[in-house]
Amino acid sequence: MKYIEVELTPFYKTEHINEVEVSVILSGMENLQPLFSLNKNTVGKEFLPFTKPLRIIQNQTELSFRVETKQEDHIEKEHYYLMNESSGEIIVKYGVALLPVGKNPVFDLGYEEQGMNGSGMTFLPFFSQGEYQYKLHWNLSKLPEKSIGVWSFGEGDITVVGDENTLTE
């Protein structure tokens, strides 16, 4: 089974959470093409801007990749392909800026008073069809004390088996 471990690190600056760093460890996914995809725009709604450039790393070495943008129904997607073959764990890292929560939290991830709210589909990767074991870890070290992290599957660190879209739910 393919294994995906995600660490989300929200950053609290002055009055609200303004950024989330994303680190994704992929195991058993060496031959996937594309390696992963990101939604960039849905029904005219632009998703979150990067605050830190997307990097793909293996054995402490940055891997070359190419991005292919495709319009699929009402969604603009970016598909990420490795330029060379690889084996073993692959790490994907990037940061996204949070904007104020919009009128449609289904498509938004944004900050609100004392936290953030919204959908993973606006900033988390999704994968080729198949079954995956996901582990989501909230690194809350940059937030005020007593902060909690909640995903669709519960509070705190969660492990769940699901399909290619489970992470973005």
Side-chain angles (χ1 to χ4, degrees):
M1 179 178 301
K2 298 171 186 87
Y3 182 76
I4 300 168
E5 184 174 340
V6 179
E7 180 177 88
L8 300 177
T9 306
F11 286 81
Y12 190 88
K13 298 269 176 107
T14 314
E15 298 177 2
H16 56 80
I17 296 171
N18 68 328
E19 177 182 3
V20 176
E21 283 187 4
V22 179
S23 177
V24 182
I25 299 172
L26 309 172
S27 298
M29 300 176 65
E30 296 84 5
N31 298 314
L32 282 186
Q33 291 295 344
L35 182 61
F36 64 93
S37 302
L38 290 171
N39 288 331
K40 293 308 290 178
N41 185 309
T42 296
V43 200
K45 165 74 171 119
E46 194 74 34
F47 288 148
L48 303 176
F50 287 128
T51 56
K52 293 184 175 64
L54 189 138
R55 298 173 27 217
I56 301 176
I57 304 161
Q58 187 172 55
N59 299 324
Q60 301 179 340
T61 301
E62 290 206 29
L63 301 178
S64 298
F65 61 91
R66 68 180 171 84
V67 180
E68 198 174 284
T69 302
K70 289 187 179 178
Q71 187 74 27
E72 299 175 18
D73 295 320
H74 299 291
I75 301 173
E76 181 182 315
K77 297 181 180 184
E78 287 185 346
H79 302 286
Y80 290 77
Y81 295 86
L82 292 178
M83 298 299 288
N84 300 307
E85 289 189 22
S86 65
S87 61
E89 284 188 350
I90 298 170
I91 301 170
V92 178
K93 291 186 170 213
Y94 57 94
V96 292
L98 269 66
L99 306 171
V101 167
K103 294 180 180 177
N104 186 359
V106 172
F107 290 143
D108 289 343
L109 174 70
Y111 66 82
E112 56 188 7
E113 188 176 331
Q114 303 297 317
M116 65 183 200
N117 187 17
S119 171
M121 72 179 290
T122 63
F123 76 106
L124 292 173
F126 59 96
F127 305 92
S128 298
Q129 288 186 332
E131 186 175 69
Y132 300 87
Q133 180 175 331
Y134 295 95
K135 178 180 179 185
L136 183 112
H137 168 69
W138 290 95
N139 176 351
L140 304 176
S141 64
K142 307 296 183 191
L143 297 180
E145 282 188 48
K146 298 185 182 179
S147 294
I148 62 170
V150 179
W151 184 29
S152 298
F153 297 96
E155 181 181 325
D157 294 351
I158 303 286
T159 299
V160 62
V161 173
D163 66 17
E164 62 277 2
N165 297 309
T166 298
L167 183 59
T168 61
E169 294 178 351

